[in-house]
Amino acid sequence: MEKLEQLLEWGGVRKDVTCLVLGGAALLASLFGWQPLPFDLAWVAIVLCGVPIVLEAVIGLVTAFDIKADVLVSLALIASVCIGEDFAAGEVAFIMQLGALLEDLTVAKARAGIEKLVHLTPRTARVIQAEGEKVIPAEQVQVGQRLRVLPGETIPVDGVITKGQTSINQAVMTGESLPVDKGVGDPVSSGTVNQFGAFEMTAQKVGEDSAIQRMIRLVQSADAGKAKIVRLADRWATWIVVIALTAAVVTWLVTGQIIRAVTILVVFCPCALVLATPTAIMAAIGNATRHGFLVREGDALERLAGVKKVTFDKTGTLTVGTPQVVAVEPVPGGPSRAELYAWTAGAEASSEHPLGKAVLRCWQEETGKAVPPAEGFQMRPGRGVQAVVDGRRVAAGNPKLLEETGAALPPALLTAADEHLQRGCTVIYCAIDGQPAGFLALSDTLRPQAADTIRQTKQAGVEPVLLTGDNEKAARHMAGQLAIEEVRWACLPEDKLAYIDACQQQGEPVCMIGDGINDAPALKKAHVGIAMGGVGSDIAVDAADIALVSDDICQLPHLLWLAKRMMVTIRCNMTFSMALNFVAIILAMAGILNPVVGALVHNAGSVLVILNSAFLLQWRRKG
């Protein structure tokens, strides 16, 4: 089906190009007086390029009484033919079809960066079965099945590597230019490409739930026609048709020259006005896609241009969303930092708790060594873990666990730990052989570009606001690091919703950026919602207007500036097209323009509008 649609689409383009080439050649022959046939060769252009316009106008009028640009064009064509201006009629039809083709090509180019996701959907998967390996269609893969991916193949579904080491090219999903090393336990996404080693994986999200399919659904919902300003342009186009018809009739009655009336119909066709907004929106969507954003509808960019505040969730948005060991503090006279860290990592090696896994991961990343073997591992729910590591009895957890093991925490240790707690860290206290040995502090660290992103957001004229569930001191510490002046702490989902609603009631449109299920209500309520598409939940992505594919917020200022630039381009397009129409109609009423020159002037305006919009495809703010 997809190949058939592509074939039909390509066939349509080839047909349009063929008609334009034949029509253009016929017009040139007519212009230079070559008449090998018993009729004017301009009729070739009228039939090939003009008949489709007339048919579309008739169908629109009959089915929906839709009075748009093609109605006026059809009247101009018929009137030109009636007064014997065959060449003018052919020229109008030719240039109108040329303008339509240019629009289609511009929009297609703007959407090319988005639609390539659809073509990256994997077709097959290698499923590991008891009787051997079997290749099946990717859409038939079931959750929990084991798959093998060979070098150079596209990963068919989302899952986790269970065997092997490799490097994955994730550029299509994250924009990263370099392959990312992956090993056992690492997640992989459908649509990304296995670069080097073969590996085995377990399927977790398949079919419509996979990352590539979710992004495709976002892409397919991008529709410039939903923008309010587009509907405004359509209403203007309808009124222009009425005004043009009235002006043509009045001019004919006053001057008695029907050629002037026909010229008015030709030059007052509102094509440039109708093209002014959709082409700019689709070009801006294409630009945003290349910078890691999937825009669900053009209306989102229109609304984004008017926001006054951007509210940020903290975890997973301004921070990386995974805990990191930020401090290892042994007690004076106790074990060294290296010993305390190694023994705690050994005790946590068998833990299923996220903090325990974080300690083990961070220790391995820092040292690159094998974890010390542990014996007698015990998980104490709500307390921590206990184990024997290198002959040492290790207890790691909260103060209650250490009290139960008889290791009373000294005041100096509690004071040192409290400094980290005030900054929003989580503390794991450690005891060795029944004696307090120190603590590890874990924290969700800031994204590397977070501070610069906040600074550039302010430069874009938008005020950043931090909404977080952390306590006051932790929230203020984070806001201070980022130079965010307005911060709200201890926020539940309803608190975020209430804050956004209050701002918008006061005439301050708000953009919300979040990643989790708890952010979904705020994302939906906000003037514009932007979800972290990679780490964010499906619910958050569905609630948002825009998805940030790479989870790297450093491109947010570009999106803000792009939205403002898009609106400037739309206003310039609309002002130019309106001014051109009114100047042309005055010249036509005065008899200065004839139908042929009028068609050239009008359609040159349409082409200029399309070209001006196309500049948005590569636009980037300097400085």
Side-chain angles (χ1 to χ4, degrees):
M1 179 61 70
E2 182 179 341
K3 289 183 177 179
L4 178 59
E5 290 176 353
Q6 292 175 353
L7 183 61
L8 291 174
E9 181 180 352
W10 173 237
V13 173
R14 291 182 62 182
K15 182 194 73 175
D16 291 342
V17 172
T18 301
C19 289
L20 282 170
V21 170
L22 293 176
L27 283 175
L28 286 175
S30 175
L31 180 64
F32 290 107
W34 186 50
Q35 298 291 341
L37 298 175
F39 55 84
D40 193 331
L41 286 179
W43 273 95
V44 175
I46 295 173
V47 173
L48 293 179
C49 302
V51 170
I53 297 175
V54 175
L55 288 176
E56 186 175 351
V58 172
I59 292 172
L61 280 172
V62 172
T63 59
F65 197 66
D66 191 19
I67 303 176
K68 292 292 167 46
D70 51 10
V71 175
L72 193 53
V73 174
S74 300
L75 291 174
L77 282 172
I78 296 170
S80 296
V81 170
C82 289
I83 65 172
E85 290 286 349
D86 296 340
F87 183 82
E91 184 188 21
V92 169
F94 173 79
I95 299 181
M96 284 301 302
Q97 286 291 60
L98 178 61
L101 180 62
L102 285 175
E103 179 198 1
D104 291 341
L105 293 177
T106 300
V107 171
K109 184 178 179 182
R111 293 182 63 94
I114 312 172
E115 292 180 342
K116 67 179 182 181
L117 287 172
V118 178
H119 303 298
L120 288 171
T121 304
R123 296 287 183 267
T124 60
R126 300 176 184 272
V127 178
I128 301 174
Q129 300 177 335
E131 60 273 16
E133 189 177 293
K134 182 179 179 181
V135 177
I136 65 172
E139 60 268 19
Q140 295 180 10
V141 176
Q142 302 295 316
V143 174
Q145 283 188 314
R146 292 171 57 215
L147 310 176
R148 178 175 287 116
V149 182
L150 301 182
E153 291 184 340
T154 301
I155 298 172
V157 297
D158 295 4
V160 174
I161 295 177
T162 57
K163 182 179 179 181
Q165 300 284 332
T166 186
S167 289
I168 304 294
N169 183 346
Q170 302 183 146
V172 65
M173 298 299 292
T174 67
E176 295 170 292
S177 58
L178 298 176
V180 178
D181 293 336
K182 299 278 187 176
V184 175
D186 288 332
V188 290
S189 299
S190 60
T192 58
V193 180
N194 182 23
Q195 294 285 84
F196 304 117
F199 65 89
E200 296 180 8
M201 61 178 286
T202 299
Q204 289 187 330
K205 290 186 176 182
V206 302
E208 294 299 318
D209 294 328
S210 66
I212 190 71
Q213 290 297 329
R214 187 176 69 190
M215 295 306 167
I216 289 172
R217 289 197 297 275
L218 288 175
V219 169
Q220 291 172 338
S221 66
D223 181 8
K226 295 179 181 177
K228 296 176 183 176
I229 198 163
V230 174
R231 294 194 293 272
L232 177 62
D234 286 342
R235 289 198 297 270
W236 285 5
T238 301
W239 281 108
I240 288 172
V241 170
V242 175
I243 294 171
L245 288 173
T246 302
V249 171
V250 170
T251 301
W252 183 17
L253 294 176
V254 171
T255 65
Q257 298 182 25
I258 194 173
I259 193 169
R260 294 192 187 188
V262 172
T263 304
I264 290 172
L265 296 178
V266 171
V267 300
F268 217 162
C269 182
C271 291
L273 178 64
V274 175
L275 296 178
T277 300
T279 53
I281 288 177
M282 296 310 299
I285 289 175
N287 185 310
T289 302
R290 281 193 291 273
H291 288 83
F293 294 94
L294 286 178
V295 182
R296 301 179 68 177
E297 53 188 35
D299 185 41
L301 289 178
E302 180 196 353
R303 286 182 274 121
L304 185 63
V307 300
K308 303 298 183 184
K309 292 183 176 181
V310 176
T311 58
F312 293 90
D313 173 53
K314 180 182 78 82
T315 305
T317 303
L318 293 172
T319 64
V320 294
T322 56
Q324 302 285 329
V325 175
V326 296
V328 180
E329 301 278 354
V331 297
S336 67
R337 179 187 182 279
E339 290 174 331
L340 177 63
Y341 202 179
W343 292 339
T344 306
E348 297 281 11
S350 299
S351 174
E352 292 298 320
H353 194 280
L355 292 180
K357 292 182 177 180
V359 170
L360 177 62
R361 184 190 72 249
C362 292
W363 183 83
Q364 290 175 328
E365 290 175 353
E366 180 177 320
T367 66
K369 298 179 182 179
V371 64
E375 299 176 350
F377 173 81
Q378 291 184 351
M379 184 74 182
R380 303 288 300 278
R383 298 290 191 272
V385 299
Q386 290 178 282
V388 177
V389 182
D390 286 344
R392 306 275 186 169
R393 291 183 293 109
V394 179
N398 58 26
K400 292 182 179 180
L401 176 65
L402 270 64
E403 290 175 8
E404 292 173 359
T405 60
L409 295 172
L413 185 65
L414 291 173
T415 300
D418 188 61
E419 294 179 3
H420 292 281
L421 290 171
Q422 296 300 327
R423 293 197 291 268
C425 296
T426 300
V427 173
I428 297 177
Y429 298 93
C430 305
I432 307 296
D433 292 333
Q435 297 296 319
F439 66 84
L440 277 66
L442 293 90
S443 176
D444 190 4
T445 57
L446 281 174
R447 294 184 182 273
Q449 303 295 329
D452 188 58
T453 298
I454 296 299
R455 179 183 60 81
Q456 293 186 49
T457 297
K458 292 180 179 179
Q459 291 179 352
V462 181
E463 180 186 355
V465 179
L466 177 62
L467 302 181
T468 176
D470 287 349
N471 60 57
E472 180 179 356
K473 291 185 177 180
R476 289 191 180 279
H477 174 75
M478 176 70 70
Q481 287 182 288
L482 297 171
I484 296 178
E485 297 176 3
E486 186 173 358
V487 55
R488 301 295 177 97
W489 54 86
C491 288
L492 298 174
E494 54 266 32
D495 298 323
K496 296 180 180 180
L497 197 66
Y499 173 81
I500 291 173
D501 184 56
C503 288
Q504 296 183 164
Q505 290 291 338
Q506 297 172 6
E508 294 183 320
V510 176
C511 171
M512 173 68 189
I513 303 180
D515 73 303
I517 295 175
N518 64 320
D519 296 320
L523 289 168
K524 199 71 175 176
K525 180 67 176 177
H527 204 56
V528 180
I530 301 178
M532 310 293 281
V535 300
S537 71
D538 291 342
I539 294 177
V541 171
D542 289 340
D545 301 293
I546 300 172
L548 179 54
V549 178
S550 66
D551 287 334
D552 186 356
I553 61 172
C554 69
Q555 294 295 336
L556 174 64
H558 171 77
L559 187 68
L560 294 172
W561 284 113
L562 176 65
K564 295 177 185 293
R565 181 65 186 181
M566 182 194 79
M567 295 307 296
V568 170
T569 298
I570 289 173
R571 293 188 185 102
C572 288
N573 285 347
M574 296 181 75
T575 301
F576 169 76
S577 59
M578 291 292 290
L580 181 66
N581 277 358
F582 281 105
V583 169
I585 195 172
I586 292 173
L587 295 176
M589 293 175 71
I592 298 174
L593 291 183
N594 60 41
V596 175
V597 177
L600 285 172
V601 171
H602 165 72
N603 289 286
S606 297
V607 173
L608 288 174
V609 163
I610 294 171
L611 292 177
N612 188 44
S613 295
F615 287 133
L616 282 173
L617 285 166
Q618 303 294 335
W619 182 86
R620 188 174 184 90
R621 182 172 180 265
K622 296 180 180 179

